[in-house]
Amino acid sequence: MDTRVPAKPSLEGIEDRWAERWEVAGTYRFDRSRPRPEVFAIDTPPPTVSGELHIGHVLSYTHTDTVARFQRMRGKAVFYPMGWDDNGLPTERRVQNHFGVRCDPSLPYDPGFTPPARPDPKTPVPVDRPNFVALCERLTATDEQAFETVFRRLGLSVDWSLGYTTIDAGSRRVAQLGFLRDLARGVAYQLDAPTMWDVDFNTAVAQAETEDRELPGAYQTLAFSTVDGAVVEVQTTRPELLPACVAVVAHPADQRYAGLVGQHLRTPLFGVRVPVYAHPLADPEKGSGLAMVCTFGDLTDVTWWRELALPARPTVGRDGRLLATPPAGVPAGPYAELAGRTVAAARRRIVELLAGAGALRAEPREITHPVKFYEKGDRPLEIVTSRQWYLGNGGRDEALRRALLARGDELRWHPATMRARYQNWVSGLTGDWLISRQRHYGVPFPLWYPLDGAGEPRYDQPLLPAEDALPIDPSTDVPAGYVPEQRGKPGGFAADPDVLDTWATSSLSPQIAAGAGRDGDLLARVFPMDLRPQAHDIIRTWLFGTVVRSHLEHGTLPWSDVAISGWVLDPDRKKMSKSIGNVVTPLRVLQRFGSDAVRHWAATARLGVDTAFDEGQLRVGRRLATKLLNASRFVLGFTDPGPAAAITAAVDRAMLARLARTVQTATAAFERYGHAEALAETETFFWWFCDDHLELVKARAYGDQGDTGRPADTAGAHSAVAALRQALDVVQRLFAPFLPFVTDEVWSWWRDGSVHRAPWPVPEPLHELARHPHPELTTLASWVLAGVRRAKSEAKVSMRAPVERLVVRVNEDQAAALRHAAIDLTLAAAAIHLEIETHTGDPDLEVVLAG
RNA sequence: GGGCGCGUAGCUCAGCGGGAGAGCACUCGGCUUACAACCGAGGGGUCGCUGGUUCGAACCCAGCCGCGCCCACCA
């Protein structure tokens, strides 16, 4: 036996051992000397750094890693970076609580700032933006280290030297440059308009980041009155917006209100005169068929307001409370009761006031209805008017929309059904992409505004930095032609206060990873990339955004293929990964079952399919890894007959022929991103190889002839062992993308270099060795073996128990094939007499046990 | 309301026009010199329901029922 093969192989400590060797050897280092056709570039998702990785990450990142390893073994230089998405709201929240600070961007930079020694989240210390950003960087650095530990332990073959974070200087430069280019080409623009607003986070949010939640509500029936004093009933779920009412609408075909259209009504309580309009969006089925138009209760209000050219009576402030003063034209008296209250409190109060005024015409009707929320928010979104930056994404431009839909068609989706989600989203866009956020830890908008004599910013004359000065922070940097003392002074300048939405940065992930703007050579070697792996919940945000940016800047898709992984569900299939993520942390699972086992579980899940977390399946992978150790040790335990040994036995050649088919099938599966099929194919072969083929040939491999009386069959043994070694070599490589630790372990016993740098197997050499195989022999031999085992099992005897007489009755072709396996069958079945007969009926087996 | 997908053995899933399968779980057997953290054998399913196409349907078509996800103007 080769001295490198351990007597008692074990999976103990295998992860740490190999992770370190790979790092030292630079096994996964990207070779940037290779031209684009020889590169396989992956746009790795940068996970959000705000909490912990969960088991869902393990699933999808494993999927990607199997592809990376497959491509690397096929000879590609694999560009496989890792990024961290470490800015945005969740990070800010964490930092505020951790350090006991609150970002106040109006404060000047204090170079000597230190966070409070004893943080108290209840009384946060105000801190200027540059210092707040520094604190964010400090905390996220710790999290990122923890993430890297998990991913290394998982065995991801990323090139860690290619790392980036979405807030680092390179990302800020790419993001700011991208914005300035979009500004120059007129795709980025500012608008003072109603937008969805999160009242807790105090920021505008984009359409893509909202979600519906079912909330209880109640229809109140309000009594409006006509000029002649008649009562008209209007139902609303948001009576607190009555002071914001600017009109009432009815459907054009609604006969009930045909006479009212064109007239005016007076609102209850306030007595404000509002017009009645006809509009097709008014639903006669809802409420009384009359809808109160407020500025703004929901997005339909915005539509009516815009299309009917209505005035604005803004009522809800950015903090989610009713404004201190009533809108113009609304009497202050009744409004004073509402001013300063939260929306919910104002709603309760106005119902009391309306009831007291006799303006409620019916009991409230309780309902449950969908309400828009920011996906990370806690209270319903309000709609407020504010100045924001937008990026054209086809929402208001049909030509662009069609072009982006065409990009979606051009992109190869895995699975293909996910394309529909993209089409759905792009077709349903109602506006452009709102990219500005009123937050602190993010990439700043790289511009300033001159201040006029009154100190008001001239938004139409932004002061732009030079491209080679990027990245900049306009809150500390000064525009050309000004001095720092002019900041905020009339005639001076002011920074744009906003930051780019995280997605507006991460939508440039391919360009960031590829060093766009600083390393054109690298960009040319990896862009457009080959693969974008991701989950399906961020098709509308990250995927779509990346397509938009690449289309605008490069006129191309950012990658040719996208692989969409599913989600991890609870064992009960009900809840999502978040709930089990708290219980089942990735590191604990990796430590408990072993990384290869966890990867095996992940790899059995096909793309796009949600999968249940199941500990039973984790044991399967563990068993497979152990099996590979033992089978490798066994095969390598036989003396190597050398490269000249001829593989002559039919059983050996049939096995290699079957393996050739496995290689072919697994390769084809991988080429279409079917990692799960590739694994299943390999696994099926391997278990058959261990359970049947090894049992069939082991005696011959030992040189054993049983009691045939003939001398040891050296040629037969050489054939068996040479074939076993060939098969082992191929099997170890086929498993390498899935079980990187154990495969490199067993590979190291007899091969030089890492299996992960070995070439992916091809079927041709196996066909060569298997020349003129009997294709049926493998299944026939297995059938005979199973029959013998069944007989012994039914007789409740050991599998070693001898068989007196074994009669196989098959058709002529099968008999001819089986005769080549006669010696192996005799030995494996412990049969004293084996007879192979031909007949015309179904295959038949007769087993007579000895004794 | 629109779109996509899923309903196959107790569980997780593969199969997607001609033999109903795998793993886990379960039952039984076996210390078999690679592996007892192992190996072998076995039981178990009117393939959601109803029609249709076909010589033949788990597989194709239509309708229905149930579940999930995405999207939607949520007054």
Side-chain angles (χ1 to χ4, degrees):
Chain A
M1 183 179 291
D2 193 306
T3 52
R4 281 189 283 174
V5 181
K8 195 74 184 168
S10 160
L11 297 172
E12 206 57 42
I14 200 171
E15 288 89 357
D16 288 338
R17 191 160 66 245
W18 283 101
E20 183 177 349
R21 287 204 213 174
W22 295 331
E23 179 60 29
V24 170
T27 308
Y28 309 125
R29 199 60 53 81
F30 173 63
D31 176 2
R32 64 166 297 166
S33 71
R34 306 271 288 278
R36 182 67 191 86
E38 296 173 17
V39 168
F40 188 85
I42 300 170
D43 185 18
T44 318
T48 304
V49 183
S50 64
E52 289 190 0
L53 291 173
H54 56 77
I55 199 74
H57 288 108
V58 169
L59 182 80
S60 56
Y61 282 83
T62 296
H63 292 168
T64 307
D65 190 59
T66 62
V67 174
R69 291 178 180 277
F70 167 70
Q71 294 291 350
R72 192 178 294 112
M73 292 176 76
R74 290 204 111 190
K76 289 286 177 70
V78 175
F79 183 78
Y80 189 11
M82 181 61 72
W84 308 121
D85 193 5
D86 55 1
N87 63 86
L89 283 176
T91 306
E92 286 191 19
R93 243 192 318 200
R94 213 177 114 87
V95 167
Q96 285 165 6
N97 293 334
H98 186 265
F99 291 108
V101 297
R102 173 177 59 82
C103 183
D104 184 349
S106 69
L107 292 176
Y109 176 57
D110 172 8
F113 174 84
T114 51
R118 272 188 281 157
D120 177 11
K122 292 210 171 109
T123 54
V125 175
V127 56
D128 60 86
R129 185 156 101 175
N131 273 307
F132 182 72
V133 166
L135 291 179
C136 290
E137 285 167 348
R138 230 166 87 183
L139 192 57
T140 52
T142 313
D143 288 344
E144 286 156 15
Q145 195 52 53
F147 281 23
E148 182 174 332
T149 301
V150 172
F151 280 154
R152 280 186 186 269
R153 174 111 191 169
L154 181 58
L156 297 188
S157 62
V158 308
D159 181 345
W160 290 98
S161 72
L162 300 174
Y164 67 90
T165 80
T166 55
I167 198 63
D168 66 25
S171 295
R172 294 202 305 276
R173 187 184 50 243
V174 171
Q176 291 184 337
L177 184 59
F179 168 76
L180 290 175
R181 295 265 171 89
D182 287 334
L183 185 63
R185 64 171 72 92
V187 185
Y189 61 93
Q190 269 190 104
L191 206 60
D192 197 13
T195 57
M196 289 183 282
W197 187 271
D198 187 288
V199 298
D200 291 312
F201 289 117
N202 258 294
T203 182
V205 302
Q207 183 187 0
E209 291 177 286
T210 65
E211 65 183 26
D212 287 352
R213 294 183 201 163
E214 285 290 330
L215 241 53
Y219 270 109
Q220 302 288 354
T221 306
L222 274 46
F224 282 56
S225 48
T226 65
V227 280
D228 2 304
V231 165
V232 174
E233 291 183 358
V234 176
Q235 290 198 332
T236 179
T237 56
R238 301 204 60 181
E240 76 278 12
L241 292 179
L242 185 56
C245 180
V246 291
V248 169
V249 290
H251 194 272
D254 194 335
Q255 289 307 312
R256 292 173 295 177
Y257 304 112
L260 214 53
V261 171
Q263 308 291 314
H264 283 76
L265 296 175
R266 284 204 181 274
T267 63
L269 214 56
F270 297 97
V272 173
R273 197 163 170 271
V274 294
V276 181
Y277 285 101
H279 195 281
L281 281 183
D283 184 351
E285 302 294 315
K286 277 196 181 139
S288 62
L290 283 178
M292 182 171 102
V293 181
C294 307
T295 53
F296 297 92
D298 61 30
L299 292 173
T300 318
D301 281 341
V302 178
T303 306
W304 281 324
W305 169 77
R306 186 180 296 129
E307 294 188 5
L308 300 172
L310 298 167
R313 296 197 176 115
T315 306
V316 178
R318 298 185 177 193
D319 56 358
R321 291 172 182 277
L322 268 65
L323 296 170
T325 54
V330 176
Y335 186 84
E337 293 277 342
L338 307 173
R341 291 182 192 260
T342 63
V343 165
R347 183 175 308 164
R348 285 191 296 272
R349 183 65 187 131
I350 199 169
V351 167
E352 291 167 8
L353 295 173
L354 287 164
L360 285 186
R361 301 292 292 186
E363 286 299 304
R365 190 159 56 86
E366 310 282 333
I367 55 157
T368 303
H369 61 160
V371 178
K372 275 217 184 303
F373 278 73
Y374 173 45
E375 59 189 1
K376 295 186 178 72
D378 299 318
R379 283 196 281 171
L381 291 168
E382 294 298 337
I383 294 170
V384 305
T385 298
S386 57
R387 173 173 298 278
Q388 303 289 347
W389 283 103
Y390 294 84
L391 196 63
N393 66 355
R396 299 172 65 182
D397 176 347
E398 269 315 306
L400 181 56
R401 190 196 300 261
R402 277 195 302 276
L404 291 169
L405 281 169
R407 291 289 180 211
D409 292 337
E410 185 187 346
L411 185 58
R412 290 193 292 262
W413 297 76
H414 311 280
T417 52
M418 290 294 172
R419 176 179 279 116
R421 305 216 179 179
Y422 177 95
Q423 292 168 333
N424 241 342
W425 177 251
V426 179
S427 305
L429 286 170
T430 55
D432 280 337
W433 180 7
L434 199 168
I435 56 169
S436 47
R437 295 291 179 275
Q438 288 65 58
R439 300 303 308 177
H440 322 297
Y441 188 44
V443 177
F445 278 84
L447 41 79
W448 307 262
Y449 306 103
L451 298 177
D452 62 17
E456 288 301 314
R458 296 294 307 266
Y459 293 112
D460 55 335
Q461 297 174 2
L463 305 164
L464 306 180
E467 285 192 356
D468 58 13
L470 301 177
I472 64 149
D473 182 350
S475 73
T476 51
D477 294 318
V478 176
Y482 290 85
V483 295
E485 289 69 31
Q486 289 176 280
R487 186 182 296 275
K489 304 277 169 56
F493 68 95
D496 187 299
D498 292 347
V499 297
L500 287 155
D501 170 31
T502 311
W503 294 118
T505 301
S506 60
S507 62
L508 294 164
S509 58
Q511 294 88 338
I512 290 169
R518 86 180 132 81
D519 193 340
D521 175 72
L522 180 61
L523 187 69
R525 289 174 196 276
V526 302
F527 187 89
M529 296 192 172
D530 295 273
L531 177 64
R532 155 61 71 83
Q534 65 167 80
H536 48 67
D537 55 330
I538 52 175
I539 288 175
R540 65 180 186 173
T541 48
W542 192 37
L543 188 147
F544 176 58
T546 313
V547 170
V548 169
R549 306 303 291 277
S550 178
H551 174 79
L552 292 174
E553 174 70 25
H554 305 280
T556 165
L557 274 177
W559 358 257
S560 59
D561 293 72
V562 57
I564 309 282
S565 293
W567 283 345
V568 179
L569 308 180
D570 269 356
D572 66 5
R573 300 220 110 240
K574 295 242 170 73
K575 297 172 192 163
M576 306 310 295
S577 54
K578 227 178 218 171
S579 62
I580 69 163
N582 302 328
V583 197
V584 188
T585 66
L587 201 55
R588 208 185 314 166
V589 174
L590 290 169
Q591 285 165 349
R592 183 157 159 223
F593 296 96
S595 296
D596 282 334
V598 176
R599 291 173 59 102
H600 178 270
W601 159 77
T604 53
R606 293 172 308 148
L607 289 175
V609 177
D610 293 345
T611 190
F613 182 77
D614 181 5
E615 289 197 355
Q617 290 304 314
L618 290 165
R619 282 189 266 274
V620 174
R622 182 76 175 180
R623 205 163 63 106
L624 175 63
T626 305
K627 197 71 171 179
L628 192 55
L629 283 181
N630 286 318
S632 298
R633 187 178 90 88
F634 179 57
V635 168
L636 296 176
F638 295 106
T639 305
D640 181 7
I647 297 173
T648 50
V651 171
D652 302 331
R653 289 188 282 117
M655 181 273 289
L656 292 174
R658 177 169 173 170
L659 179 55
R661 288 197 301 277
T662 297
V663 168
Q664 205 151 14
T665 308
T667 305
F670 250 132
E671 282 172 343
R672 50 170 200 274
Y673 293 92
H675 62 260
E677 295 145 86
L679 172 59
E681 189 68 21
T682 303
E683 218 176 327
T684 301
F685 173 86
F686 180 63
W687 283 110
W688 167 81
F689 175 78
C690 290
D691 294 344
D692 286 5
H693 183 76
L694 280 179
E695 295 301 325
L696 204 55
V697 305
K698 66 162 46 161
R700 174 159 56 87
Y702 278 129
D704 195 344
Q705 285 295 284
D707 59 353
T708 56
R710 285 180 289 183
D713 176 13
T714 309
H718 283 183
S719 171
V721 174
L724 290 179
R725 292 173 70 96
Q726 283 290 343
L728 187 69
D729 176 271
V730 170
V731 163
Q732 290 179 351
R733 285 183 283 152
L734 287 176
F735 273 131
F738 306 102
L739 314 171
F741 295 99
V742 74
T743 49
D744 227 5
E745 174 76 18
V746 295
W747 187 259
S748 74
W749 293 346
W750 65 315
R751 298 294 195 225
D752 294 325
S754 171
V755 70
H756 304 299
R757 284 291 184 178
W760 181 255
V762 290
E764 287 76 15
L766 294 170
H767 281 132
E768 195 79 10
L769 292 169
R771 64 197 191 288
H772 310 304
H774 295 275
E776 277 185 285
L777 190 50
T778 57
T779 44
L780 278 169
S782 292
W783 171 71
V784 174
L785 266 187
V788 172
R789 286 165 173 166
R790 191 182 308 113
K792 290 179 180 178
S793 189
E794 280 167 1
K796 300 187 190 301
V797 298
S798 158
M799 286 299 141
R800 207 174 40 167
V803 172
E804 173 98 28
R805 185 156 169 270
L806 177 58
V807 185
V808 181
R809 297 187 191 88
V810 289
N811 69 37
E812 285 185 30
D813 289 344
Q814 294 168 328
L818 271 180
R819 285 195 188 95
H820 290 288
I823 287 180
D824 291 315
L825 283 173
T826 305
L827 294 172
I832 294 162
H833 296 294
L834 167 68
E835 294 163 33
I836 299 167
E837 300 175 357
T838 63
H839 75 166
T840 49
D842 290 336
D844 178 46
L845 196 64
E846 185 186 335
V847 182
V848 180
L849 297 173

